Amino acid sequence: MIQLLASTRSKEYPIYLSVDSIDRIGSLWASQGDTGKVAAITDTNVGGLYLPQIERSFEEAGFTFTATEVDAGEGTKTLAQAAKLYSRLFELKIRRGDAVCALGGGVIGDLAGFVASTYMRGVRLIQVPTTLLAQVDSSIGGKTGVNIPEAKNYVGSFYQPDMVLTDPVFLKTLPPEQMAEGLAEVIKYALLSGEDFFDALETSYQSLLDLDMAFLETVVRRCIEYKLAVVAEDERDYGRRAVLNLGHSVGHGIEAAGNYRLYSHGQAVALGLLAAVRLSEKIFSLPPEYGESLASLHKLLGLPTVLKGVEPRAVMESMAADKKADGISANMVLLRKIGDPVINCDVDAGLLASEVERLASGASAGSWTI
Ligand SMILES: NC(=O)c1ccc[n+]([C@@H]2O[C@H](COP(=O)([O-])OP(=O)(O)OC[C@H]3O[C@@H](n4cnc5c(N)ncnc54)[C@H](O)[C@@H]3O)[C@@H](O)[C@H]2O)c1
Ligand SMILES: [Zn+2]
């Protein structure tokens, strides 16, 4: 069993990462010294697949276990849903020493994490991420929250869990398009953390597609370790945590320009990563081979390399409206080298616009245009 230690100013807690660790969740939680009740919150897809296994493990370890299922999907991440869950926890007589177990993807992690952080001013929290995105990103770092009608993730808290259990086996039932969502973030971590990780993805991409459990475990571990190191330095997102936005400024612009329907987050981030790498060639003389390799990796993993169906101008307008850009220049994360990100790069709007146009023309995708 791999045990990583998350160390932040507010809390230290273990992250257990292993194939088939799901069956040991009860004993691992007991080994934390916990004896209270466990109230799982999950969605209707994940609940049907994994609740019986989790329930058995907690009950065998002596816990009183209950489960609440909510609708799957982003639409469930609301204050109204949180309010229903508060009442449910009250009905279940959950108290401070008891735990909420968030079993699901990023939606459940954010929603149940937020509920755990606010119910009775905070109860114990176990994160069990079941999507690749949740395993490498949303379950790490303590950001929780819900959407408001006006904006995503605008109400929330920083609340570190007491334990995270990450089992690559969950990924076997994940729909391929959800896997691709997480792979875009994995590629982001590879670009941020170094050439050997990036090379490993290029060489072993087939192992990712084949869901090779040992390789996935290694990949997820590298991503978690990278995020943990960043969060340890900057828990509340005032500085270094901004590196995690690599590919996300253009990505958010594309998502918004497509009205959040045409491009998923991962697809938009994949294009944003390509734009960031191409801009890094111009600004930091990053060798163009990386852009070529990135485009080929995207294609092999089922991620887009060409901006289609959205006007480049609309992407620029969305970026200007976004809090991270001011219309004159964009504040972006770029790469001096693979593994050497630079935050707060002031990118001239003209240069950015020409890069977004290149994305739409397919020229950024090199010989791998699709
Ligand atoms: N807190 C953070 O730091 C952070 C970081 C990134 C993203 N997020 C948030 O994460 C959310 C997106 O997360 P997501 O992509 O995991 O989406 P999600 O939670 O909606 O899961 C995607 C779909 O996969 C299903 N699913 C989950 N696990 C499964 C499994 N093992 N087998 C079969 N189906 C499964 C879900 O039911 C859902 O239909 C967004 O709300 C985003 O804002 C938060
Ligand atoms: Zn992202």
Side-chain angles (χ1 to χ4, degrees), residues 212-280:
D212 176 308
M213 288 291 121
F215 187 62
L216 274 167
E217 194 179 270
T218 313
V219 164
V220 170
R221 178 183 186 155
R222 294 198 66 154
C223 299
I224 294 176
E225 282 175 338
Y226 189 88
K227 186 159 181 183
L228 282 180
V230 171
V231 172
E233 265 183 47
D234 179 23
E235 185 177 2
R236 297 217 154 219
D237 205 356
Y238 292 126
R240 185 163 172 227
R241 203 161 166 163
V243 293
L244 301 171
N245 286 331
L246 179 69
H248 280 61
S249 11
V250 171
H252 285 150
I254 292 172
E255 258 186 299
N259 286 323
Y260 298 93
R261 278 193 301 271
L262 211 51
Y263 283 93
S264 68
H265 179 73
Q267 290 171 329
V269 166
L271 290 170
L273 289 173
L274 206 48
V277 164
R278 293 306 192 183
L279 283 166
S280 302

Side-chain angles (χ1 to χ4, degrees), residues 43-46 49-50 72-74 77 104-110 129-134 137-145 147 152-153 169-175 178 181-182 185 227 241 265:
D43 71 27
T44 42
N45 296 335
V46 180
L49 291 165
Y50 298 108
E74 189 68 31
K77 231 177 87 173
V107 163
I108 290 298
D110 280 9
T130 62
T131 62
L132 181 60
L133 180 130
D137 193 356
S138 59
S139 66
I140 310 294
K143 283 189 184 176
T144 79
N147 304 323
K152 270 196 67 157
N153 296 324
V169 163
F170 289 123
L171 307 180
K172 286 186 180 172
T173 53
L174 198 61
Q178 295 299 338
E181 287 297 289
E185 304 290 346
K227 186 159 181 183
R241 203 161 166 163
H265 179 73

Side-chain angles (χ1 to χ4, degrees), residues 271 274 278 291-292 294-300 303-308 358-370:
L271 290 170
L274 206 48
R278 293 306 192 183
E292 300 291 313
L294 182 65
S296 67
L297 191 57
H298 279 8
K299 194 176 175 218
L300 294 166
L303 291 163
T305 55
V306 182
L307 178 68
K308 287 179 188 162
R358 248 161 63 89
L359 262 186
S361 74
S364 302
S367 48
W368 282 90
T369 306
I370 52 166

Side-chain angles (χ1 to χ4, degrees), residues 52-235:
Q53 223 175 326
I54 297 254
E55 176 168 20
R56 194 178 326 117
S57 181
F58 275 114
E59 288 185 343
E60 277 171 12
F63 292 98
T64 302
F65 180 90
T66 52
T68 306
E69 289 187 24
V70 298
D71 289 343
E74 189 68 31
T76 219
K77 231 177 87 173
T78 61
L79 279 170
Q81 186 62 260
K84 283 189 202 157
L85 289 168
Y86 296 139
S87 298
R88 170 78 175 147
L89 295 180
F90 184 83
E91 182 188 302
L92 294 169
K93 300 193 169 49
I94 297 298
R95 300 287 176 265
R96 279 254 179 84
D98 300 328
V100 162
C101 174
L103 172 68
V107 163
I108 290 298
D110 280 9
L111 170 71
F114 178 67
V115 166
S117 80
T118 42
Y119 180 75
M120 297 194 80
R121 300 191 180 81
V123 295
R124 303 196 34 88
L125 174 63
I126 309 166
Q127 286 279 9
V128 186
T130 62
T131 62
L132 181 60
L133 180 130
Q135 298 194 342
V136 300
D137 193 356
S138 59
S139 66
I140 310 294
K143 283 189 184 176
T144 79
V146 293
N147 304 323
I148 53 173
E150 296 78 8
K152 270 196 67 157
N153 296 324
Y154 253 60
V155 174
S157 60
F158 285 95
Y159 196 66
Q160 302 294 341
D162 297 283
M163 178 175 109
V164 181
L165 182 124
T166 296
D167 189 338
V169 163
F170 289 123
L171 307 180
K172 286 186 180 172
T173 53
L174 198 61
E177 65 278 9
Q178 295 299 338
M179 191 69 190
E181 287 297 289
L183 287 174
E185 304 290 346
V186 168
I187 296 173
K188 176 190 83 175
Y189 284 112
L191 292 170
L192 288 172
S193 73
E195 244 173 288
D196 55 335
F197 190 6
F198 190 72
D199 291 349
L201 293 184
E202 268 194 300
T203 318
S204 306
Y205 74 92
Q206 193 60 43
S207 303
L208 289 174
L209 296 174
D210 294 345
L211 297 180
D212 176 308
M213 288 291 121
F215 187 62
L216 274 167
E217 194 179 270
T218 313
V219 164
V220 170
R221 178 183 186 155
R222 294 198 66 154
C223 299
I224 294 176
E225 282 175 338
Y226 189 88
K227 186 159 181 183
L228 282 180
V230 171
V231 172
E233 265 183 47
D234 179 23
E235 185 177 2

